[in-house]
Amino acid sequence: MTVAGTHAYNSVWQMRSDTWSRLEEAALGLTMPAEQSERDRQIAAVGELVRHLNPVEPYWAFPGSLQFARVVRLFNAGEHGKFARAVARINRALTTDSYRRGDVDDVTQDESTGLGGDIAATDPDAPAAPERLYFEVLVVDSLTEEQERTLRREFRNWRRADADFVYELVFVGSTEEALIAARLNVNIQAVVVRRHFHRHSTRDLSGLGDFIDTRLSVELDRDATPDQRASLLAAELAQLRPELDLYLMTEVDVESIAGRLGENFRRVFHAREGMLELHLSILAGIADRYRTPFFSALKQYSQRPTGVFHALPISQGKSIVGSHWIKDMVGFYGLDVFMAETSATCGGLDSLLEPTGPLRDAQKLASETYGSRHTYFVTNGTSTANKIVTQSLVAPGDIVLLDRNCHQSHHYGMLLAGAQVQYLEAYPLPDYSMYGAVPLREIKSKLLALKRAGKLDRVRLLSLTNCTFDGVVYDPLRVMEECLAIKPDLVFLWDEAWFAFARFHPDFRARTGMAAAAALRERLQDPKYRTEYEASIADEQSASDAELLERRLRPDPAKARVRVYATQSTHKTLTALRQGSMIHVYDQDFGQKTSEAFHEAYMAHTSTSPNYQILASLDLGRRQVALEGTELVVRQIENAMQLRDAIDDHPLLQKYMRCLRTSDMIPEEYRPSGIAQPLRSGLRNMIAVWGNDEFVLDPSRVTLSIGNTGYDGDTFKRDLLMDRYGVQINKTSRNTVLFMTNIGTTRSSVAFLVEVLVKLAREIDTEVDEMSLSERARFEQNVRRLTSPTTTQPDFSGFHRAFLDPTPGIEQTAEGDVRRAFYLSYDDSACEYLTDAQVEERLEAGGDVVSATFVTPYPPGFPVLVPGQAFSSQILAYIRNLDTLEVHGYNPELGYRVYTEKAIETALADNLRRAAAVHSETVPTPPVVTVPAPSDTNGPGAGTGASPSRARRKPRAAESAAAAE
């Protein structure tokens, strides 16, 4: 049999699973008659598989290092029959998860009791034992084998038959191995740190190089005390796996140590008297994460008899179960979903708009799990979450920097809030008709231009999509750090609709909004950072804008405020019902006024009748990621990488399809590492890339280039994948299709997709072989069209001056009033339709053509025109040359909806009057409740320091008049 090397895998769990399966097959072969040469080959193959397992098995409780050593001794002693039976029992227990049901017995014995057999032997007539949830606890201490056995027996003796949870112990003796175990073994849920452990491992760790950075180790002074070593290890473990419960056991000075190190550990125990308490605390810690306050309350409520004299006839299924015509509804959905339908907010339930009970508790648990200061559930998707955050932070006249290629909800949020929008340009990928992400240089240049214009005090929010639909991931920490160096009170909104899962991967977490916010807050509080900042400030203050664009900027720790919001479509990448989303807040200034503004925005966009099933699913989804998020995401990434390998390594698929690499999606200038395929270069390089490159590629997404098939992306998706084989995908471009794995993706589903692609490739190959000369020429022409770069994707042409910010400044900047432009189109007399030719004719005559709507081609799915934007010949040429017929905002029969020349003249005159009014400080106050802005936002220093939070302000156009003048 062929033995796959460990380099063929990206995660140890799949390597371990496959290796045990191969070992069972190979061990069985040793029990069969064979020629000596064949026997020698079999023994060599088994020995190679054992060598693959040897470095990883010490980090799991089952079979555990002691049992694994006994199994290996059977092989070395030539007892191949016993060896094969022991391997079969282990593999079956791992494959079926039966090792989670009870004690880990000696698998080297032939008795079929406990886990020594295939499954635990039971009396078929006896009642089934209650299923208990299994996890493992890592013990960090230098112990002998006998001490390990004694400690394991002691903890097993504390078990109760009616307990909900059961656990086994894993022992390591060094800092290195503790970090390795936490990374590799996703069963570990708690860590007990004792005082007697070493800095470095005595084991050979070179065999783990494919899965971990073997240099991973806490830097410790040789003279560090046991307490210092324990504290540093705890900090590293919390960074690696923040969900782990950490406990410290010490023999001396336990009271003093608890006071000094209590922040790092959940509990501190005395080694001689705390074993039972430790056991109970471990179980309590898991129970705390296992809690689902709202789901449990809803489940309990559904079991109560009620009399409904209120809304919702469907409550408890009462309008269905007696029906003659819709009983099939219960048959399809089941009765429980209707038993849990209610409009009640009392009786043990809660109100989403004013939570004081189980919903409040569920959101608090979600906040702890996702690393935020506050978390809010949203039942109508991240489109609404984006509008809530925008409306809570932005007042009319505020300037917002917005990625032009963002989701449409952001554009609509801007017009609802009355923002002055300055659009940011992402780098284009013309070979694939898509956009990447917004370079940091582009963001800094816009902020510096606004500073020069005297408008920095009005800049309120930066909104970016992380990661993009196509998987380009920002470095949020660096973006926020450098932006705060220019505008210390800037607020950040990270749209993480497709990135909620990243929190639960050790290497991806740092590039999420919440993790970056916490890291930035910690950095600004670090005395060492303050010293470094003070040493560099003089140089930065004397630098020109051009020089500032080229250097990494540092925010002033005395002025910078960490104000970060992240919106996540939990239902897209984690477990939740459709439209289940969350808003995560890490805002230092989320005080009374800001929280009140947020509450008002939340009330404005949230239904008073939220779907309880969605809320319960968010609660349950939080429990899942709190306990097995790391496991699920690691498997997701492995499945995605296996899909890439299967496609790129298949000779027929290579002919027609190709998985795009990091170097295809991210230009070299944004990848200082220079590594084209980080995951193909080992974990060490991947960690370096994710730590340093401006942009990285989410490996869970596989963008497949299909231009050589002769099919465009939309046809390939609709006619081939979906209609013929039921393969569901979302995003396509002119010559690509995007496959997004998730935590529900299985190895079987990956295999099915590969099978489908191979079938399609065979069909295409056969068709091409049988084409006539003329048919072949047309096919090759089509392939050239699909594989050649398209017309250059146009940059934002700019708002027409009728909709530009009327506030006078030192220089003109590009922000525009989307709301005025949008609502002007409600007046039909102000609009007309122009065909493509008529638009071109007017542009050539020197006239202005201004869009009255969003014009969005699919793909790529981002607006090339927004209300108030001026047409350009480049935009017109781009739309003409698109390979898609689906262009939202364009009517094929009538053309483009634009503003009439008279409407533009009127709007321009109105804008000039606004500018004059602002200049003379006579802008009338809008008919809204206002709170006067603090005085420190006016005057020469406006915008250079952190300003207090404001719930409702006068439009900043009026606030800044004096400063601009």
Side-chain angles (χ1 to χ4, degrees), residues 529-539:
Y529 171 82
R530 183 180 295 273
T531 301
E532 293 172 351
Y533 169 79
E534 291 173 351
S536 64
I537 185 60
D539 188 35

Side-chain angles (χ1 to χ4, degrees), residues 14 84 218 288 312 386 517 594 671 718 763 779 795 800 814:
Q14 191 160 334
V218 182
D288 192 46
L312 220 60
N386 290 330
T594 303
R671 295 184 293 106
R718 184 185 62 250
E763 292 175 7
F779 173 79
D795 287 341
H800 187 274

Side-chain angles (χ1 to χ4, degrees), residues 186-200:
V186 291
N187 286 338
I188 292 174
Q189 297 289 347
V191 182
V192 178
V193 179
R194 294 159 70 98
R195 291 165 57 87
H196 305 295
F197 60 91
H198 305 296
R199 289 175 31 180
H200 298 293

Side-chain angles (χ1 to χ4, degrees), residues 88 295 375 469 541 622 671 850 900:
F295 170 71
T375 288
F469 210 147
Q541 287 177 339
R622 188 276 317 155
R671 295 184 293 106
V850 183
T900 64

Side-chain angles (χ1 to χ4, degrees), residues 513-530:
M514 291 298 100
L520 180 57
R521 172 70 174 146
E522 183 178 352
R523 181 174 296 180
L524 293 174
Q525 290 182 312
D526 187 349
K528 182 180 177 181
Y529 171 82
R530 183 180 295 273

Side-chain angles (χ1 to χ4, degrees), residues 400-606:
V400 176
L401 303 184
L402 180 66
D403 177 6
R404 180 167 63 105
N405 306 307
C406 62
H407 188 267
Q408 65 180 6
S409 60
H410 292 284
H411 297 284
Y412 288 114
M414 294 302 123
L415 67 89
L416 289 173
Q420 295 284 329
V421 182
Q422 185 152 145
Y423 285 113
L424 302 168
E425 297 292 348
Y427 65 81
L429 294 167
D431 288 349
Y432 309 108
S433 299
M434 61 179 71
Y435 289 92
V438 179
L440 180 54
R441 183 187 180 91
E442 161 83 355
I443 302 168
K444 289 165 63 177
S445 68
K446 292 292 193 292
L447 284 172
L448 290 170
L450 288 162
K451 183 178 181 180
R452 290 194 303 272
K455 297 181 178 181
L456 197 60
D457 64 303
R458 292 174 49 212
V459 178
R460 181 68 168 170
L461 180 70
L462 169 64
S463 179
L464 295 171
T465 304
N466 187 46
C467 66
T468 69
F469 210 147
D470 299 291
V472 179
V473 182
Y474 286 86
D475 183 350
L477 178 59
R478 181 171 179 182
V479 170
M480 295 190 292
E481 198 173 46
E482 295 210 43
C483 289
L484 289 175
I486 302 171
K487 168 72 173 172
D489 60 347
L490 186 64
V491 189
F492 301 89
L493 169 56
W494 295 99
D495 182 342
E496 296 180 347
W498 295 97
F499 210 45
F501 71 91
R503 170 76 186 176
F504 307 101
H505 192 286
D507 302 317
F508 305 165
R509 184 181 305 112
R511 289 199 176 225
T512 63
M514 291 298 100
L520 180 57
R521 172 70 174 146
E522 183 178 352
R523 181 174 296 180
L524 293 174
Q525 290 182 312
D526 187 349
K528 182 180 177 181
Y529 171 82
R530 183 180 295 273
T531 301
E532 293 172 351
Y533 169 79
E534 291 173 351
S536 64
I537 185 60
D539 188 35
E540 287 191 6
Q541 287 177 339
S542 61
S544 66
D545 284 359
E547 291 172 326
L548 292 176
L549 286 175
E550 299 299 329
R551 66 176 61 175
R552 182 159 186 165
L553 306 182
R554 298 171 179 266
D556 184 345
K559 296 180 179 179
R561 306 296 292 170
V562 179
R563 308 196 60 196
V564 185
Y565 294 73
T567 54
Q568 293 180 347
S569 295
T570 314
H571 67 102
K572 281 187 169 73
T573 64
L574 299 174
T575 297
L577 292 177
R578 189 172 175 84
Q579 296 191 37
S581 295
M582 296 188 193
I583 299 172
H584 303 299
V585 181
Y586 196 109
D587 187 348
Q588 285 182 271
D589 294 339
F590 201 71
Q592 182 177 357
K593 289 183 178 179
T594 303
S595 61
E596 286 176 358
F598 183 92
H599 181 70
E600 290 298 322
Y602 192 79
M603 293 277 285
H605 292 278
T606 300

